[in-house]
Every structure is written in structure tokens, then in C-alpha cells.
């Protein structure tokens, strides 16, 4: 099983990287761009876990290490 | 006084911390590698040093917070041993939940490295009592992700409980409420972005960092 975890700063947490990218896009002429958020994606194979238990397992990984829930949210995709 | 400096792979202020604590207090300072599952007996102080633990990969301090030795640091903190986390050490304390909040990328996206003036908000803690009647100190900051953040409820609790120990006079990184240093509710765990370990002798531009370490002598 392949897991893909998207981690991003929560709404309301200032994303200064996103702001910098946004202003660069504006400078290149894409004036319609707003609210840019920069996140990260982690992908990994997952063995030894029942498909029905996989999401809960990956969520535990997120809560333990992959995301800091003080500032970050996450979204899990399994395939 | 007996102290230990925890060394993570990528720590780079560990030796500075050892020398700063030794010269400021005369304490015996052990260096403890991150894989250790026991701390030296009879510690009065544990220092989490600055640097880039685990290369700052994933998030600053995230993997260090889960390293084996941190379970022992947590137990020692629960027993009341003084713990100070400096810069990356502050990030580790927040990631481990020993202090509230988190540290974000600096507002101006720039690494800031300079002496800063700090207001001593809490001169009555075991880390600040040797400052006496002084309400200002100067220490050096060096950080790229030093902007303190907490959600509104947490921030008002931090302020309400008087957990802010140091505030920037001129905020260099976008920290909420100008927070430069924070203490836990029990008063024995301090995290700060400025480096007392780079400001402990006049030749370094300020000796105020020594006063922070000397404060601990009064309780040791």
C-alpha cells in the first residue's frame, strides 16, 4: 500500500513562504493569484497493516511525528 | 552544581553551552548523546543546545523531540530539574510539548543574527533571579525559524499565567507578543531563542547570558 500525506500550515497561521511565492507570481504578471500556501507531501510504502487499519495508522504517524498539530493540518491519501 | 548538555546530531552550540555553563557557574558539565537512555545522576540543569538537530529535516526540533534521551529529559523535568532550551533547544521543547506553542519561519524570511535587547518580564524565576533589579538584558539571536506562534487561546493562557520571561524590545522575527523566552507552569523549564551561550563574557559583546546560568546557582 502506498500512502501520501499532505501537510500544510493551518488557516490563520501566517505562511511567509506562501506570501513570498505569491508576490513573485504577482511580479510575473499573475495578478489573480491569492492566498498561496506552501506545504509538503510525504509518500511512503506501508506493509504489514490491514487496509482497514491503514488510515488510522497513518493518522497516528501524523499526530506523533509528521505534522505539528499546533500549526499544521494534514490530509491522507491511500492507494 | 551539576549540568548536562544534550547533543543531537546537528547540534552546533553544544560545546558553547558547556563552556558557558562551566565558566559562568563553575558547574561540572557532562555531554550526553541523544541515544542515551539514562542521564547522569544528580543533575541540577539540563541544556538543550542550539543548532540544526537532525538537519532541521521535517520541522525544526521534531525528530530530536522524539529521540531516546528526551524521554529521560521529560522525566527529569517532571521531577523538577531545571531544563533550558536555547534556540533549536527551544524548538525541541515546543515540539516535545514541554512548552506550549511552536516556532515558525521568521516573518521577513531572513536568518537574523545580531545582539538584541530583551525585556526581563519575569525577574523572579529560577533562571532570572540573579538579574536583581535589572529589567533589561542583551543577548545574541541567530535563527531562521524563531517566530513564536500559539493559537489565541494558548497565547492568552501563556500571558495570563505569566509564562513570558523575556520579550524582544525590537522584535527581530515576528514572534507573537514579542515573545523571546517562555517558562512552563511549574517554573523549571525555560525556552528562549536568544543565546545566553553566546553572551556570557564581555568580550562576546554581553555577559548577560552568564547571569541566566548564575541564577540557577541560587537554587542548586
Amino acid at each position: 500500500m502506498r500512502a501520501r500525506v499532505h501537510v500544510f500550515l493551518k488557516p490563520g497561521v501566517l505562511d511567509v513562504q506562501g506570501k513570498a511565492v505569491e508576490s513573485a507570481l504577482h511580479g510575473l504578471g499573475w495578478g489573480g493569484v491569492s492566498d498561496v500556501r506552501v506545504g509538503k507531501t510525504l509518500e511512503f510504502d506501508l506493509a504489514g497493516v490491514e487496509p482497514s487499519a491503514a488510515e488510522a495508522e497513518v493518522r497516528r504517524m501524523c499526530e506523533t511525528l509528521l505534522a505539528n498539530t499546533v500549526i499544521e493540518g494534514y490530509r491522507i491519501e491511500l492507494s | 552544581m551539576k549540568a548536562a548538555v544534550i547533543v543531537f546530531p546537528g547540534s552546533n552550540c553544544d560545546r558553547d553551552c558547556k563552556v558557558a555553563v562551566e565558566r559562568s557557574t563553575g558547574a561540572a558539565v557532562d555531554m550526553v548523546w541523544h541515544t542515551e537512555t539514562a542521564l547522569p545522576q544528580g543533575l541540577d540543569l539540563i541544556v538543550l543546545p542550539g543548532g540544526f538537530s537532525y538537519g532541521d529535516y521535517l520541522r525544526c526540533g521534531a525528530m530530536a523531540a522524539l529521540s531516546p534521551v528526551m524521554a529521560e529529559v521529560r522525566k527529569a523535568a517532571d521531577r523538577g530539574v531545571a531544563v533550558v532550551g536555547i534556540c533549536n533547544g527551544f524548538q525541541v521543547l515546543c515540539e516535545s510539548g514541554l512548552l506550549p506553542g511552536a516556532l515558525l519561519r521568521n516573518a521577513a524570511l531572513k536568518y537574523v543574527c545580531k545582539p538584541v535587547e530583551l525585556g526581563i518580564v519575569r525577574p523572579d524565576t529560577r533562571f532570572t533571579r540573579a538579574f536583581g533589579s535589572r529589567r533589561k538584558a542583551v543577548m545574541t539571536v541567530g535563527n531562521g525559524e524563531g517566530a513564536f506562534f500559539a493559537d489565541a487561546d494558548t497565547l492568552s493562557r501563556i500571558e495570563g499565567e505569566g509564562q513570558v520571561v523575556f520579550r524582544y524590545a525590537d522584535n527581530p522575527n515576528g514572534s507573537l507578543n514579542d515573545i523571546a523566552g517562555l517558562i512552563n507552569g511549574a517554573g523549571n523549564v525555560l525556552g528562549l531563542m536568544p543565546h545566553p551561550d553566546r553572551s556570557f563574557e564581555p568580550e562576546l559583546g554581553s555577559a548577560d547570558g552568564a547571569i541566566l546560568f548564575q541564577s540557577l546557582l541560587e537554587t542548586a
Side-chain angles (χ1 to χ4, degrees), chain B residues 130-212:
Chain B
F131 284 99
S133 60
R134 288 182 53 188
R135 294 294 174 269
K136 285 190 171 139
V138 173
M139 292 182 209
T140 304
V141 289
N143 62 68
E145 306 202 18
F148 182 78
F149 173 88
D151 62 47
D153 287 349
T154 307
L155 198 59
S156 75
R157 194 167 63 243
I158 288 167
E159 293 287 357
E161 302 284 324
Q163 287 179 250
V164 179
V165 176
F166 296 108
R167 266 190 236 279
Y168 298 111
D170 184 11
N171 193 334
N173 53 24
S175 285
L176 291 183
N177 292 16
D178 303 322
I179 290 172
L182 196 64
I183 202 164
N184 67 341
N188 68 311
V189 177
L190 172 75
L192 73 169
M193 286 317 288
H195 282 266
D197 54 314
R198 293 184 193 172
S199 320
F200 66 94
E201 285 179 347
E203 290 78 3
L204 298 170
S206 166
D208 291 344
I211 301 174
L212 187 149

Coordinates of all heavy atoms in Angstrom, one line a residue, chain B residues 130-212:
Chain B
A130 N 19.1 36.2 39.4 CA 20.4 36.9 39.6 C 20.5 38.2 38.8 O 21.4 39.0 39.0 CB 21.6 36.0 39.2
F131 N 19.5 38.5 38.0 CA 19.5 39.8 37.4 C 19.1 40.9 38.3 O 19.2 42.1 38.1 CB 18.5 39.8 36.2 CG 19.0 39.2 34.9 CD1 18.6 37.9 34.6 CD2 19.9 39.8 34.1 CE1 19.1 37.2 33.5 CE2 20.4 39.2 32.9 CZ 20.0 37.9 32.6
G132 N 18.6 40.5 39.5 CA 18.3 41.5 40.6 C 17.2 42.5 40.1 O 16.2 42.1 39.6
S133 N 17.6 43.8 40.2 CA 16.6 44.8 39.9 C 16.6 45.2 38.4 O 15.8 46.0 37.9 CB 16.8 46.1 40.7 OG 18.1 46.6 40.5
R134 N 17.5 44.5 37.6 CA 17.6 44.9 36.2 C 16.4 44.3 35.5 O 15.9 43.3 35.8 CB 18.9 44.2 35.6 CG 20.2 44.9 36.0 CD 21.3 44.2 35.3 NE 21.2 44.2 33.9 CZ 22.0 43.5 33.1 NH1 23.0 42.9 33.6 NH2 21.8 43.5 31.8
R135 N 15.9 45.1 34.5 CA 14.8 44.7 33.7 C 15.1 44.6 32.2 O 14.2 44.5 31.4 CB 13.6 45.6 33.9 CG 13.0 45.6 35.3 CD 12.4 44.3 35.7 NE 12.0 44.2 37.1 CZ 12.8 43.7 38.0 NH1 14.0 43.3 37.8 NH2 12.3 43.7 39.3
K136 N 16.4 44.7 31.9 CA 16.8 44.6 30.5 C 18.1 43.8 30.4 O 18.9 43.8 31.3 CB 17.2 46.0 30.0 CG 15.9 46.8 29.7 CD 16.2 48.1 28.9 CE 14.8 48.7 28.5 NZ 14.8 50.1 28.6
A137 N 18.2 43.0 29.4 CA 19.4 42.2 29.1 C 19.7 42.3 27.6 O 18.8 42.5 26.8 CB 19.2 40.8 29.6
V138 N 20.9 42.0 27.3 CA 21.3 41.9 25.9 C 21.9 40.5 25.6 O 22.7 40.1 26.3 CB 22.3 43.0 25.5 CG1 22.8 42.8 24.0 CG2 21.7 44.4 25.6
M139 N 21.3 39.8 24.6 CA 21.9 38.5 24.2 C 21.8 38.5 22.7 O 21.1 39.3 22.0 CB 21.1 37.4 24.8 CG 21.2 37.2 26.3 SD 20.3 35.8 26.8 CE 19.9 36.3 28.5
T140 N 22.5 37.5 22.1 CA 22.6 37.4 20.6 C 21.6 36.4 20.2 O 21.4 35.3 20.7 CB 24.0 36.9 20.2 OG1 25.0 37.7 20.8 CG2 24.2 36.8 18.7
V141 N 20.8 36.8 19.1 CA 20.0 35.8 18.4 C 20.6 35.3 17.2 O 21.5 36.0 16.6 CB 18.6 36.3 18.1 CG1 17.7 36.6 19.3 CG2 18.7 37.6 17.2
G142 N 20.3 34.1 16.7 CA 20.8 33.6 15.5 C 19.7 32.5 15.0 O 19.8 31.4 15.4
N143 N 18.7 32.9 14.3 CA 17.7 32.0 13.9 C 17.0 32.3 12.6 O 16.9 33.5 12.2 CB 16.6 31.9 15.1 CG 15.9 33.2 15.3 OD1 15.1 33.6 14.5 ND2 16.1 33.8 16.5
G144 N 16.5 31.3 12.0 CA 15.7 31.5 10.7 C 14.3 31.1 11.0 O 13.4 31.6 10.3
E145 N 14.0 30.3 12.0 CA 12.7 29.9 12.4 C 12.5 30.2 13.8 O 12.5 29.3 14.7 CB 12.4 28.5 12.0 CG 12.7 28.2 10.5 CD 12.0 27.0 10.0 OE1 11.1 26.5 10.5 OE2 12.5 26.5 8.9
G146 N 12.4 31.5 14.2 CA 12.3 31.9 15.6 C 11.1 32.6 15.9 O 11.0 33.2 17.0
A147 N 10.1 32.7 15.0 CA 8.9 33.4 15.3 C 7.9 32.6 16.1 O 7.3 31.6 15.6 CB 8.2 33.8 13.9
F148 N 7.8 33.0 17.4 CA 6.9 32.2 18.3 C 5.5 32.3 17.8 O 5.0 33.4 17.6 CB 7.1 32.7 19.7 CG 6.2 31.8 20.7 CD1 6.7 30.6 21.1 CD2 5.0 32.3 21.1 CE1 5.9 29.8 21.9 CE2 4.2 31.5 21.9 CZ 4.6 30.3 22.3
F149 N 4.8 31.2 17.8 CA 3.3 31.2 17.5 C 2.6 30.3 18.5 O 3.1 29.2 18.9 CB 3.1 30.6 16.1 CG 1.7 30.5 15.7 CD1 1.0 31.5 15.2 CD2 1.0 29.3 16.0 CE1 -0.4 31.4 14.9 CE2 -0.3 29.1 15.7 CZ -1.0 30.2 15.2
A150 N 1.4 30.8 18.8 CA 0.5 29.9 19.6 C -0.9 30.4 19.2 O -1.1 31.6 18.8 CB 0.7 30.0 21.1
D151 N -1.9 29.5 19.2 CA -3.3 30.0 18.9 C -3.7 31.0 20.0 O -3.1 31.1 21.0 CB -4.2 28.8 18.7 CG -4.4 28.0 19.9 OD1 -4.6 28.6 21.0 OD2 -4.4 26.7 19.8
A152 N -4.8 31.7 19.7 CA -5.2 32.8 20.5 C -5.5 32.3 21.9 O -5.1 33.0 22.9 CB -6.5 33.4 19.9
D153 N -6.1 31.2 22.1 CA -6.5 30.7 23.5 C -5.2 30.4 24.2 O -5.0 30.7 25.4 CB -7.3 29.4 23.4 CG -8.7 29.7 23.0 OD1 -9.1 30.9 22.9 OD2 -9.5 28.7 22.7
T154 N -4.3 29.7 23.5 CA -3.0 29.3 24.2 C -2.2 30.6 24.6 O -1.7 30.7 25.7 CB -2.1 28.4 23.3 OG1 -2.9 27.3 22.8 CG2 -0.9 27.9 24.0
L155 N -2.2 31.5 23.6 CA -1.4 32.8 23.9 C -2.0 33.5 25.1 O -1.2 34.0 25.9 CB -1.5 33.6 22.6 CG -0.5 34.7 22.5 CD1 0.9 34.2 22.5 CD2 -0.7 35.5 21.2
S156 N -3.3 33.6 25.2 CA -3.9 34.3 26.3 C -3.6 33.5 27.6 O -3.5 34.1 28.7 CB -5.4 34.6 26.1 OG -6.2 33.5 26.3
R157 N -3.6 32.2 27.5 CA -3.3 31.4 28.7 C -1.8 31.7 29.2 O -1.5 31.9 30.3 CB -3.5 29.9 28.5 CG -3.5 29.1 29.8 CD -4.1 27.7 29.5 NE -3.3 26.9 28.6 CZ -3.7 26.5 27.5 NH1 -4.9 26.7 27.0 NH2 -2.9 25.7 26.7
I158 N -0.9 31.7 28.2 CA 0.5 31.9 28.4 C 0.7 33.3 29.1 O 1.4 33.4 30.1 CB 1.3 31.9 27.1 CG1 1.4 30.5 26.6 CG2 2.7 32.5 27.3 CD1 1.9 30.4 25.1
E159 N 0.0 34.3 28.6 CA 0.1 35.6 29.2 C -0.6 35.7 30.5 O 0.0 36.2 31.5 CB -0.6 36.6 28.2 CG 0.2 36.8 26.9 CD 1.5 37.6 27.1 OE1 1.8 38.1 28.2 OE2 2.2 37.8 26.0
G160 N -1.7 35.0 30.7 CA -2.5 35.0 31.9 C -1.7 34.4 33.1 O -1.8 34.8 34.2
E161 N -1.0 33.3 32.7 CA -0.2 32.6 33.7 C 1.2 33.2 34.0 O 1.9 32.6 34.7 CB 0.0 31.1 33.3 CG -1.3 30.3 33.0 CD -2.0 29.9 34.3 OE1 -1.3 29.6 35.3 OE2 -3.3 29.9 34.3
G162 N 1.5 34.2 33.3 CA 2.8 34.9 33.5 C 3.9 34.0 33.0 O 5.0 34.0 33.6
Q163 N 3.7 33.3 31.9 CA 4.8 32.4 31.4 C 5.8 33.1 30.5 O 6.9 32.5 30.2 CB 4.2 31.2 30.7 CG 3.5 30.2 31.6 CD 2.8 29.1 30.9 OE1 1.6 29.0 30.8 NE2 3.7 28.2 30.3
V164 N 5.6 34.3 30.1 CA 6.6 35.0 29.3 C 7.7 35.5 30.2 O 7.4 36.3 31.1 CB 5.9 36.2 28.5 CG1 7.0 36.9 27.7 CG2 4.8 35.6 27.6
V165 N 8.9 35.1 29.9 CA 10.1 35.5 30.8 C 10.8 36.6 30.1 O 11.3 37.6 30.8 CB 11.0 34.3 31.0 CG1 12.2 34.7 31.8 CG2 10.2 33.2 31.8
F166 N 11.0 36.5 28.8 CA 11.8 37.6 28.0 C 10.9 38.0 26.8 O 10.3 37.2 26.1 CB 13.1 37.0 27.4 CG 14.1 36.6 28.5 CD1 14.4 35.3 28.7 CD2 14.8 37.6 29.2 CE1 15.3 34.9 29.6 CE2 15.7 37.2 30.2 CZ 16.0 35.8 30.4
R167 N 10.9 39.4 26.6 CA 10.3 39.9 25.4 C 11.3 40.7 24.6 O 12.2 41.4 25.2 CB 9.1 40.9 25.8 CG 7.8 40.2 25.8 CD 6.7 41.2 25.9 NE 5.8 41.0 27.1 CZ 4.8 40.1 27.1 NH1 4.6 39.4 26.0 NH2 4.1 39.9 28.2
Y168 N 11.3 40.7 23.3 CA 12.2 41.5 22.5 C 11.8 43.0 22.6 O 10.6 43.3 22.5 CB 12.0 41.1 21.0 CG 12.4 39.7 20.7 CD1 11.5 38.8 20.2 CD2 13.8 39.3 20.7 CE1 11.8 37.5 19.9 CE2 14.1 38.0 20.4 CZ 13.2 37.1 20.0 OH 13.5 35.8 19.7
A169 N 12.8 43.8 22.8 CA 12.5 45.3 22.7 C 12.1 45.7 21.3 O 11.3 46.5 21.1 CB 13.7 46.1 23.2
D170 N 12.8 45.0 20.3 CA 12.6 45.3 18.9 C 12.5 44.0 18.2 O 13.5 43.4 17.8 CB 13.7 46.2 18.4 CG 13.5 46.6 16.9 OD1 12.4 46.4 16.4 OD2 14.5 47.1 16.3
N171 N 11.3 43.5 18.0 CA 11.1 42.1 17.5 C 11.8 41.8 16.2 O 11.5 42.4 15.2 CB 9.5 42.0 17.4 CG 9.1 40.6 17.2 OD1 9.9 39.7 16.7 ND2 7.9 40.3 17.5
P172 N 12.7 40.9 16.2 CA 13.5 40.6 15.0 C 12.9 39.6 14.1 O 13.4 39.4 13.0 CB 14.9 40.1 15.6 CG 14.4 39.4 16.8 CD 13.2 40.1 17.4
N173 N 11.9 38.9 14.5 CA 11.5 37.7 13.7 C 10.0 37.5 13.6 O 9.5 36.5 13.0 CB 12.1 36.4 14.3 CG 11.9 36.3 15.8 OD1 10.9 36.8 16.3 ND2 12.8 35.5 16.4
G174 N 9.2 38.4 14.2 CA 7.8 38.3 14.0 C 7.1 37.4 15.1 O 5.9 37.0 15.0
S175 N 7.8 37.2 16.2 CA 7.2 36.4 17.3 C 6.0 37.1 17.8 O 5.9 38.3 18.0 CB 8.2 36.4 18.5 OG 9.2 35.5 18.2
L176 N 4.9 36.3 18.1 CA 3.7 36.9 18.6 C 4.0 37.5 20.0 O 4.7 36.9 20.8 CB 2.6 35.8 18.8 CG 2.0 35.3 17.4 CD1 0.9 34.3 17.7 CD2 1.5 36.4 16.6
N177 N 3.4 38.6 20.3 CA 3.6 39.3 21.6 C 5.0 39.6 21.9 O 5.4 39.7 23.1 CB 2.9 38.6 22.7 CG 1.4 38.5 22.6 OD1 0.8 38.8 21.5 ND2 0.7 38.2 23.7
D178 N 5.9 39.6 20.9 CA 7.3 39.9 21.1 C 8.0 38.8 22.0 O 9.0 39.1 22.7 CB 7.6 41.3 21.7 CG 7.0 42.4 20.8 OD1 7.1 42.3 19.5 OD2 6.5 43.4 21.3
I179 N 7.4 37.6 22.0 CA 7.9 36.6 23.0 C 9.3 36.1 22.5 O 9.4 35.6 21.4 CB 6.9 35.5 23.1 CG1 5.6 36.0 23.8 CG2 7.5 34.3 23.8 CD1 4.5 35.0 23.9
A180 N 10.3 36.2 23.4 CA 11.6 35.7 23.2 C 11.9 34.5 24.0 O 12.8 33.7 23.7 CB 12.7 36.8 23.4
G181 N 11.3 34.4 25.2 CA 11.5 33.3 26.1 C 10.3 33.0 27.0 O 9.6 33.9 27.3
L182 N 10.2 31.7 27.3 CA 8.9 31.2 27.8 C 9.2 30.2 28.9 O 10.1 29.4 28.7 CB 8.1 30.6 26.7 CG 6.7 30.3 26.8 CD1 5.9 31.6 26.9 CD2 6.3 29.6 25.5
I183 N 8.5 30.2 30.0 CA 8.7 29.2 31.0 C 7.4 28.3 31.2 O 6.3 28.7 30.8 CB 9.0 29.9 32.4 CG1 9.8 29.0 33.3 CG2 7.8 30.5 33.0 CD1 10.5 29.7 34.4
N184 N 7.6 27.1 31.7 CA 6.5 26.2 31.9 C 5.7 26.6 33.1 O 6.2 27.4 33.9 CB 6.9 24.7 31.9 CG 7.7 24.4 33.1 OD1 8.3 25.2 33.7 ND2 7.8 23.1 33.4
G185 N 4.6 26.0 33.4 CA 3.8 26.4 34.5 C 4.5 26.1 35.9 O 4.3 26.8 36.8
A186 N 5.3 25.0 35.9 CA 5.9 24.6 37.1 C 7.2 25.5 37.4 O 7.7 25.5 38.5 CB 6.3 23.1 37.1
G187 N 7.6 26.2 36.3 CA 8.7 27.2 36.6 C 10.1 26.5 36.5 O 11.1 27.2 36.9
N188 N 10.2 25.3 35.9 CA 11.5 24.7 35.8 C 12.0 24.4 34.4 O 13.1 23.9 34.2 CB 11.6 23.4 36.6 CG 10.7 22.3 36.1 OD1 9.6 22.5 35.8 ND2 11.3 21.2 35.9
V189 N 11.2 24.7 33.4 CA 11.6 24.5 32.0 C 11.5 25.9 31.3 O 10.4 26.5 31.2 CB 10.7 23.5 31.3 CG1 11.1 23.3 29.8 CG2 10.7 22.1 32.0
L190 N 12.6 26.3 30.8 CA 12.7 27.6 30.1 C 13.1 27.4 28.6 O 14.1 26.6 28.4 CB 13.7 28.6 30.8 CG 14.0 29.9 30.0 CD1 12.9 30.9 30.2 CD2 15.3 30.5 30.5
G191 N 12.5 28.0 27.7 CA 12.9 28.0 26.3 C 13.1 29.4 25.9 O 12.3 30.3 26.2
L192 N 14.2 29.7 25.1 CA 14.4 31.0 24.6 C 15.2 31.0 23.3 O 16.0 30.1 23.1 CB 15.1 31.9 25.6 CG 16.6 31.8 26.0 CD1 17.1 33.0 26.8 CD2 16.9 30.5 26.7
M193 N 14.8 31.9 22.4 CA 15.5 32.0 21.1 C 16.9 32.6 21.3 O 17.9 32.2 20.6 CB 14.7 32.7 20.0 CG 13.5 31.9 19.5 SD 13.9 30.1 19.1 CE 14.9 30.2 17.7
P194 N 17.1 33.7 22.0 CA 18.4 34.3 22.2 C 19.4 33.3 22.9 O 18.9 32.5 23.6 CB 18.1 35.5 23.1 CG 16.7 35.8 23.0 CD 16.0 34.5 22.8
H195 N 20.6 33.5 22.6 CA 21.7 32.6 23.1 C 22.4 33.2 24.3 O 23.4 33.9 24.1 CB 22.7 32.4 22.0 CG 22.3 31.5 20.9 ND1 22.6 30.1 20.9 CD2 21.6 31.7 19.8 CE1 22.1 29.5 19.8 NE2 21.5 30.5 19.1
P196 N 22.1 32.7 25.5 CA 23.0 33.1 26.6 C 24.4 32.5 26.5 O 25.3 33.0 27.0 CB 22.2 32.5 27.9 CG 21.3 31.5 27.3 CD 20.9 31.9 25.9
D197 N 24.5 31.4 25.7 CA 25.7 30.7 25.5 C 26.6 31.5 24.5 O 27.8 31.1 24.3 CB 25.5 29.3 25.0 CG 24.6 29.2 23.8 OD1 23.6 29.9 23.8 OD2 25.0 28.5 22.8
R198 N 26.1 32.5 23.9 CA 26.9 33.4 23.0 C 27.1 34.8 23.6 O 27.5 35.7 22.9 CB 26.3 33.5 21.6 CG 26.3 32.2 20.8 CD 25.7 32.5 19.4 NE 25.4 31.2 18.8 CZ 24.8 31.1 17.6 NH1 24.4 32.2 17.0 NH2 24.5 29.9 17.1
S199 N 26.7 34.9 24.9 CA 26.7 36.2 25.5 C 27.0 36.1 27.0 O 26.3 36.6 27.8 CB 25.2 36.8 25.4 OG 24.6 36.6 24.2
F200 N 28.1 35.4 27.2 CA 28.4 35.1 28.7 C 29.7 35.8 29.1 O 30.1 35.6 30.3 CB 28.5 33.6 29.0 CG 29.6 32.8 28.3 CD1 30.8 32.6 28.9 CD2 29.4 32.4 27.0 CE1 31.8 31.9 28.3 CE2 30.4 31.7 26.4 CZ 31.6 31.4 27.0
E201 N 30.4 36.5 28.2 CA 31.6 37.3 28.7 C 31.6 38.6 27.9 O 31.1 38.7 26.8 CB 32.9 36.5 28.3 CG 33.1 35.3 29.2 CD 34.4 34.5 28.8 OE1 34.9 34.7 27.7 OE2 34.8 33.7 29.6
P202 N 32.1 39.7 28.6 CA 32.1 41.0 27.9 C 32.8 41.0 26.5 O 32.3 41.7 25.6 CB 33.0 41.9 28.9 CG 32.9 41.2 30.2 CD 32.8 39.7 29.9
E203 N 33.8 40.1 26.3 CA 34.4 40.0 25.0 C 33.5 39.6 23.9 O 33.7 39.8 22.7 CB 35.6 39.0 25.1 CG 36.8 39.5 25.9 CD 36.6 39.3 27.4 OE1 35.5 38.8 27.8 OE2 37.5 39.7 28.2
L204 N 32.4 38.9 24.3 CA 31.4 38.5 23.3 C 30.3 39.6 23.1 O 29.3 39.4 22.4 CB 30.7 37.2 23.8 CG 31.6 36.0 24.0 CD1 30.9 34.9 24.8 CD2 32.1 35.5 22.7
G205 N 30.5 40.7 23.7 CA 29.5 41.8 23.5 C 28.6 42.0 24.6 O 28.0 43.0 24.8
S206 N 28.4 40.9 25.4 CA 27.5 41.0 26.5 C 27.8 39.8 27.4 O 28.1 38.7 27.0 CB 26.0 40.9 26.1 OG 25.2 40.6 27.2
A207 N 27.7 40.0 28.7 CA 27.9 38.9 29.7 C 26.6 38.6 30.4 O 26.6 37.8 31.4 CB 29.0 39.4 30.7
D208 N 25.5 39.0 29.8 CA 24.2 38.8 30.5 C 23.8 37.3 30.5 O 23.0 36.9 31.4 CB 23.1 39.7 29.8 CG 23.3 41.1 30.1 OD1 24.1 41.5 31.0 OD2 22.7 42.0 29.4
G209 N 24.3 36.6 29.5 CA 23.9 35.2 29.5 C 24.5 34.4 30.7 O 23.8 33.5 31.2
A210 N 25.6 34.9 31.2 CA 26.2 34.3 32.4 C 25.2 34.4 33.6 O 25.1 33.6 34.4 CB 27.6 34.9 32.7
I211 N 24.5 35.6 33.6 CA 23.7 35.9 34.8 C 22.5 34.9 34.8 O 22.0 34.4 35.8 CB 23.1 37.3 34.7 CG1 24.3 38.3 34.7 CG2 22.2 37.6 35.9 CD1 24.0 39.7 34.5
L212 N 22.1 34.5 33.6 CA 21.0 33.5 33.5 C 21.5 32.2 34.1 O 20.8 31.6 35.0 CB 20.6 33.3 32.0 CG 19.4 32.4 31.8 CD1 18.7 32.8 30.5 CD2 19.8 30.9 31.6

